[in-house]
Each structure stands twice: as C-alpha cells, then as structure tokens.
Amino acid sequence: MGNSDLIMRVHAAARQEQFLEVVSAEEARARFERHIDLSPLSAETVVLADAHTRVLAQDVVAEVDAPPFDRSNVDGFAVRAADTWGASDASPKMLTLNNEVVACGHAPVIALASGTCTAIATGGVIPRGADAVLMIEQTELIEDGEPRIELRRAANPGQFISYAGSDIARGETLLRHGTRVGAREIGMLAACGLDRVEVVSRPKVAVLSTGDELIEPGAPLKPAGVYDSNGAIIAAAVAEAGGEPLMFGAYPDDASILEKAVRKALDASDMVVLSGGTSKGAGDLSHRIVLQLGKPGILVHGVALKPGKPLCLAVVGGKPIAVLPGFPTSAIFTFHAFVAPVIRARAGLPPEAADTIHARVPLRVASELGRKEFVLVSLVEGEDGMIAFPTGKGSGAVTSFSQADGFFAIDALASALDAESQVEVTLIGNVAQAPDVVIMGSHDIALDIVVGGLADRGYSARTLAVGSLGGVAAANRGECDIAPVHLIDPASGQYNKHLVVPGLSLVPGWRRMQGVLFRLGDVRFEGRSAQEALKIILADSSALMVNRNAGAGTRVLIDKLLDGARPTGYANQPKSHNAVAAAIAQGRADWGLAIAPVAKLYGLGFLPVSPEHYDFLVVDKRRERPAVRAFLAALQDEKTRERIRALGMEPSA
Ligand code: AMP
Ligand code: MG
C-alpha cells in the first residue's frame, strides 16, 4: 500500500464524515411513526394448539355456559333443603333413596320428590326437584329395609352446587382482543368448546447483521472474529414483541452482497432490522444501501442519545427499515426504544407499560453533554430502599443489557450525575424478586461453585463484580452481605486482614497461585523458575510484557518483582487475569502475571510466584441471615472444597 493510499484509508477509518442532522429521540420516533401504518395486521384463524403466544384479533364471547348445568361439587346426596331443616344430633332425619346413582356424564332420569334423595358423584348433574347436596361424610346409609339415609345437619339451598353459567356465562366477553394467549387463555377457550380462534397475523421481521468480523455462533472463532450475537438477540426480541423473526444471518461489509440481501429481506417481510455498519465511515455501508432502496427512504440518521447515536430509521414502500448500531447493548437498546413498539402495534399488542421504581445511585456517573444518556443498572435492596449500581461495561458489552435490571436516564444538558442521587429506574425484563444474598467484590471462577452450592440449598444470590475495592466500599456501606476481596497490605505483605473494621469480619476463602504466564515452547521461560525467567527477560528488550491496572492485587506483586525495572509493555495495563492471558495467547504480548487456573484455561505455561488470598468480608449485622449462613456452610462443604481444588486453588483451612 502506497503512502497516499494509507492516508486515505486512515481518513476513512476515522469516520470523518459527520452526521448531517442529529435529532432527539422524540423527534426520531415521531418522524418514523408518521410514515408507517401502526394498525394491527389482518386476522387469521388458528387451531387452539397453535394459538399459544398469539394475540387475539377479536373479543371472544362465550357461546355456552360453564358449567353447562347445575353441578354437584362433592360426592353425596342431592336433596331438597327444606327436607333437612331441623335435623340435629338429637333429632336426625331420614330420606328415602331414589333408585338411581347420578355419575358424571349421565343425565339423571328420576325427579326428586319431597322426602327423597339421590346419590350423586362430584361433577354430576343435579336432578330435577333437588336444590342442595349433602356431603357423603355427613350422612349415614341405612341398609336394612328400604334404603335410606340418616342426616344430622340441615342444608342450605344451593349447598355444594355450582350453577350453570356460574363460571362462564353464555354471552359474556371471555377474552379481549389484544390479549396474548397463554395456557390460561387456552383453557378458557377450550372450556367454551372453541377449537380455533382468530388471531392477528404476526408481522414478519427480517433480521440481518453486517460486519466483516462476524461469525455465526457454532462455527469456530477465527483471529479478529466476533460472534454475531445481535442476530440471535434481536430475533428473540422480535418474537417477544409479537413478531415472527426471519433470520437472514450475517453478511460481510460488501455493498453488492449486502444490498442484494436487504432487497430480498424487504420482499420477504413486513419490516427489516439490520445491525452494524450504520456509522458514517467508509466501511459503513448500511445507510448508503438503504438510501438506494426507494421512497421516502431515510427519515432519521443520528439520534442524540447514548447508547445509540448512529441509529438510522427509514421507510421504503411503506415498510419500516431500522439500521441499529452494531454494539450489542446499543443495538438492543435502540431496538426496544424504536422498533419493538412498531412490532407490538402491528402485532395487535398494546404499548408496553414501563414499570419504574425509585433508587439511589451511590456513585458519581459521568455523562457526555448534548446526548441523553441511558445508564444500565443492577438493583440491590439497601437498608433504606433500592440501590442502583451502574453495570458499567459500556455499550460494546453483551452482558450489560442482558444482566441489567433496568436503566435510568441522564439529561442531555447534564455532564454527570452526582453520587447519592435519587433516580427513576425503568425496569427491563422480569426483575426477579430480591435475592437472598448480595455478593459484591472481586469475581473468581471458584466463587461460582460456592454460589452453586448456595443455590442447591435453595437460596438465590446476586453477584456484582465490582472489584476488591468496590466490594470493600459496599461492605462498609452495608450495601452487600458478603464482599470477596484479595488485597495485599503493602506495609505488612499480608492479604485482606487490614480491611477488617468494626462491623465487618473476615472469612477465609482460598488461595490462588499467581505466576508468570507464557506461550508453551518459549525457551526464555520453559523449564525455569520464575526468578530465572525474569532475569532473562529483563535483559531481553524483545520480550514484551503485559501489566495489570494500578490497584489490582496482582499489580502490587508485579511491582515488587520488577523492583523498579520498567520492561517494554509495562504501560499496557488491562484489568483482568483473562485479558492478560488473551494478550499472551494471541501474541500481543509475551509474558505477564495472572493466576494459575487462567493459564490453564488459555493453554499457557505457568511459573508459580506466590499465592494470593481470596477471602470474604462478611457484614456482621447480616451474618445470621439464613442465606449468609448457607453461604458459609457451602464454603466449608467438602464437596465444594474438592471442586475448588479441581480448579487449581487451595481452600483455606
Ligand atoms: P459497527 O456498527 O458496524 O461499526 O460495529 C460496531 C461494533 O459492534 C464493532 O465492535 C462490531 O464488531 C460490533 N458488532 C457489529 N455487529 C455485531 C453483531 N451482529 N454481533 C455482535 N457484535 C457486533
Ligand atoms: Mg461493522
């Protein structure tokens, strides 16, 4: 590639083309909806077995009564209540048995005359002339002579009878249009004898992804590749919104291939949702393709919100096309805000009612001026109400949306939200009820085993990975029950003991061996001790290290080992053991420090240096809670300890 060629490509990659017009979310929605039909699609008839999750197109009016006749609720005897009046232990009454037993499914033949009764089963039709039922347990059958029963209790008229139509009355509106059919609705339809029902046709929504890097789930990951998660999550969200997803798959950033695919998708569907390639860079083709498809074309490209700025909304031939930003959280967020309401409307569903709650945000959250910013949060119950923790993984993360309980907004004109602010959180998905135990701090794969043991004991846990320091702060504020930590005290060289203050106690967890990671076969490390290897690499300027972030326990150890040396790569400071291992495995660095289990996961060599203590700060006030006790019991359980050992860690005594 020549110099000028390179400069051109750099300009293109830097996305120098600007958005022509960035509009507010409200304006974007208004423009989009002005050009589309938001009425429900036509109705179709489906058999009951296919009605599940469909949306009723019409009110369903019951054509029969349920029960269809006056029905006995118990096994016993149909009687005239007046014949029983005055019956007591002192003066029992006798009724002659009619020569009939009314079983289910058999209409009674004999009318009941005064002074008689008829044996009847639960569900049997009340015979003509009867107006109450006596429970068999409250009567005595007299077998000698003419068959009779003796009773010692009076019955009220109507006793143990369900009258015709008392459950469902003929002519009653049973179900309303716009109702989504679940098991309960299917039961009601069947009880009325309906074997088919009118439902709204499902809007067909074509789902496409674009990006040269995308790989279909199931295929092996190649270098620089990323799994297409948007396709799957958007398809599922389409179904949840009442649409029928048509999965078109992922396409490379190739104008002609992509254009062909989008045209095909448009033909096959009522609506097209494409994700990726929506920014205004050279590799970003989506909006250029949409531009060529027809009228009225692009209505919005650029919305003043975060995540989701590059959203592009268009209509072609009456069909909506949405091009969502590629980052998964941005994609699903803009889908819910702009696309799902359109699908719901066309599917005949009412707008989704947003549930909100008030919560306190304990930390300051910075925000960009000029864009309304939505912050995804996890919720935990504090002493004085709900607390919302920003999940903080950013819009590139898949998990920030999927693991969030809700979100709150920071106004476009604010540059930050102050710590301790009260916010209104819009809940997403099904927020599970409050967990039995809240664990906040550093995450470790062995922690999942203890939490699994807790689940086996019937308790739910919420774990928030906020790092050791975050865990210490949360424990001190009483926002969690348990904080997993691994912080070395530089003064004493001891782990975690210095974190204990009144109100908190320390429960030992396990030790994780830390050491030098390297690619197998690298002779600078293979077969040596960590100290020997260090001597060699510190003299070798081609040996590239990967460091850790300041504040990490491992970083303290690294600095101690390096003793003032600054090898190449020292400035590269990712925040996790996994990031260190990935950099070495993929050749972006040659060595770094991490824990042994991670070296194993990435197939790397490992030279042990020193064990790190991963322990638990427990909030004393909460220690006697059953779930906290169960956690501590799970920690002691020999089965749990065995599994922790299998991961390469040593449970503390
Ligand atoms: P784009 O909007 O094409 O500039 O993509 C922005 C980011 O989102 C890049 O990191 C992409 O790799 C990522 N991305 C785009 N499409 C998808 C997808 N379908 N699944 C997962 N990540 C994606
Ligand atoms: Mg892309």
Side-chain angles (χ1 to χ4, degrees):
M1 173 165 39
N3 276 352
S4 61
D5 229 19
L6 174 63
I7 297 294
M8 233 176 68
R9 289 185 58 183
V10 169
H11 275 303
R15 298 184 167 164
Q16 301 241 320
E17 200 179 332
Q18 292 303 307
F19 288 95
L20 291 178
E21 185 199 18
V22 173
V23 301
S24 71
E26 293 71 27
E27 171 67 13
R29 196 168 297 120
R31 283 193 198 174
F32 194 36
E33 298 192 346
R34 205 176 300 140
H35 287 87
I36 49 192
D37 181 1
L38 288 169
S39 59
L41 293 179
S42 60
E44 60 185 6
T45 305
V46 295
V47 297
L48 224 46
D50 296 333
H52 192 245
T53 76
R54 301 298 301 268
V55 179
L56 295 178
Q58 251 119 49
D59 291 353
V60 177
V61 174
E63 288 174 16
V64 296
D65 286 322
F69 45 82
D70 297 345
R71 185 182 65 191
S72 174
N73 284 340
V74 294
D75 288 339
F77 300 96
V79 299
R80 292 190 177 192
D83 288 345
T84 70
W85 291 343
S88 68
D89 288 327
S91 64
K93 297 222 163 202
M94 293 284 189
L95 293 173
T96 314
L97 265 175
N98 291 313
N99 187 19
E100 177 174 38
V101 175
V102 180
C104 279
H106 294 278
V109 184
I110 302 175
L112 202 118
S114 179
T116 71
C117 66
T118 300
I120 190 165
T122 304
V125 179
I126 303 294
R128 176 185 167 86
D131 58 18
V133 179
L134 300 175
M135 257 213 255
I136 195 156
E137 294 86 344
Q138 289 168 358
T139 61
E140 187 111 22
L141 185 61
I142 313 290
E143 299 186 29
D144 57 329
E146 193 191 17
R148 286 155 297 156
I149 60 163
E150 187 189 87
L151 53 128
R152 291 161 186 268
R153 294 279 173 277
N156 291 320
Q159 169 175 300
F160 297 129
I161 294 178
S162 285
Y163 287 101
S166 57
D167 186 359
I168 298 169
R170 183 186 305 203
E172 171 188 10
T173 299
L174 196 57
L175 294 167
R176 301 248 166 236
H177 67 277
T179 302
R180 203 153 201 184
V181 178
R184 295 178 304 175
E185 287 73 21
I186 287 187
M188 289 166 82
L189 294 165
C192 288
L194 298 170
D195 70 336
R196 50 201 65 219
V197 64
E198 296 259 288
V199 295
V200 181
S201 297
R202 266 186 307 205
K204 291 194 178 73
V205 182
V207 180
L208 297 77
S209 306
T210 177
D212 286 336
E213 72 281 23
L214 297 182
I215 296 175
E216 302 275 345
L221 208 53
K222 52 175 202 230
V226 169
Y227 282 122
D228 172 14
S229 56
N230 289 351
I233 189 172
I234 291 167
V238 163
E240 282 176 5
E244 179 184 344
L246 308 179
M247 297 266 273
F248 272 72
Y251 298 86
D253 294 316
D254 175 304
S256 75
I257 297 177
L258 192 59
E259 182 176 343
K260 229 181 272 163
V262 174
R263 284 188 189 278
K264 215 169 122 194
L266 205 52
D267 279 344
S269 67
D270 300 304
M271 185 190 290
V272 173
V273 181
L274 175 65
S275 72
T278 175
S279 290
K280 296 215 163 176
D284 295 316
L285 305 161
S286 303
H287 73 283
R288 284 177 230 282
I289 288 167
V290 173
L291 217 47
Q292 292 161 13
L293 294 178
K295 296 266 161 217
I298 293 178
L299 305 167
V300 174
H301 192 191
V303 184
L305 64 107
K306 184 180 178 182
K309 184 175 180 189
L311 174 71
C312 172
L313 298 171
V315 171
V316 171
K319 293 184 182 179
I321 303 180
V323 188
L324 311 179
F327 266 158
T329 288
S330 308
I332 195 64
F333 211 91
T334 47
F335 177 88
H336 281 294
F338 297 93
V339 185
V342 177
I343 299 176
R344 287 184 71 93
R346 302 242 71 194
L349 285 168
E352 198 162 28
D355 279 337
T356 61
I357 58 150
H358 289 275
R360 176 169 63 84
V361 181
L363 330 158
R364 179 178 185 273
V365 184
S367 171
E368 189 182 317
L369 268 179
R371 280 162 81 187
K372 183 170 185 174
E373 178 158 350
F374 292 95
V375 181
L376 290 158
V377 296
S378 293
L379 292 169
V380 301
E381 231 176 85
E383 305 271 284
D384 50 356
M386 294 304 272
I387 309 171
F389 286 95
T391 54
K393 282 199 186 174
S395 52
V398 183
T399 50
S400 42
F401 193 87
S402 5
Q403 293 176 352
D405 294 319
F407 58 83
F408 68 86
I410 301 180
D411 194 78
L413 297 176
S415 64
L417 179 88
D418 291 331
E420 305 299 330
S421 295
Q422 284 286 334
V423 296
E424 185 172 78
V425 176
T426 302
L427 304 177
I428 46 181
N430 300 326
V431 177
Q433 46 177 194
D436 297 314
V437 55
V438 177
I439 302 169
M440 290 177 68
S442 168
H443 185 259
D444 179 82
I445 46 177
L447 179 60
D448 298 333
I449 292 174
V450 187
V451 171
L454 191 63
D456 292 343
R457 287 168 167 79
Y459 295 102
S460 65
R462 150 143 303 168
T463 46
L464 296 180
V466 295
S468 289
L469 283 172
V472 173
N476 277 295
R477 289 194 301 247
E479 288 161 359
C480 65
D481 302 295
I482 297 170
V485 291
H486 51 92
L487 288 170
I488 196 167
D489 177 6
S492 69
Q494 283 197 327
Y495 275 94
N496 305 329
K497 296 210 172 79
H498 60 298
L499 305 173
V500 176
V501 293
L504 296 182
S505 39
L506 193 66
V507 173
W510 47 85
R511 269 158 287 163
R512 328 193 287 185
M513 186 51 84
Q514 304 176 100
V516 175
L517 270 55
F518 62 95
R519 281 182 302 283
L520 292 171
D522 190 330
V523 294
R524 294 170 293 189
F525 304 89
E526 200 85 67
R528 302 181 196 279
S529 73
Q531 289 301 339
E532 288 165 3
L534 264 176
K535 222 174 270 158
I536 295 173
I537 46 188
L538 287 181
D540 174 1
S541 63
S542 75
L544 188 58
M545 89 169 284
V546 49
N547 198 353
R548 276 297 305 278
N549 55 308
T554 307
R555 170 66 176 273
V556 177
L557 181 66
I558 293 172
D559 285 336
K560 210 169 103 191
L561 281 179
L562 290 178
D563 194 22
R566 292 287 176 268
T568 28
Y570 185 86
N572 183 14
Q573 305 183 353
K575 291 187 183 141
S576 75
H577 294 288
N578 288 48
V580 168
I584 298 167
Q586 292 163 5
R588 279 177 284 114
D590 299 320
W591 69 278
L593 256 76
I595 54 174
V598 168
K600 200 162 128 194
L601 276 177
Y602 287 79
L604 295 171
F606 183 77
L607 311 178
V609 174
S610 84
E612 170 184 65
H613 295 237
Y614 184 90
D615 300 323
F616 299 94
L617 283 174
V618 178
V619 177
D620 289 338
K621 258 198 302 199
R622 306 193 177 193
R623 198 178 172 122
E624 289 310 312
R625 289 191 182 187
V628 175
R629 290 167 60 161
F631 181 92
L632 299 175
L635 196 57
Q636 285 304 317
D637 188 333
E638 193 42 48
K639 263 192 293 189
T640 314
R641 294 165 68 86
E642 204 41 60
R643 294 184 59 195
I644 292 173
R645 266 182 219 113
L647 284 175
M649 328 226 190
E650 192 43 51
S652 305

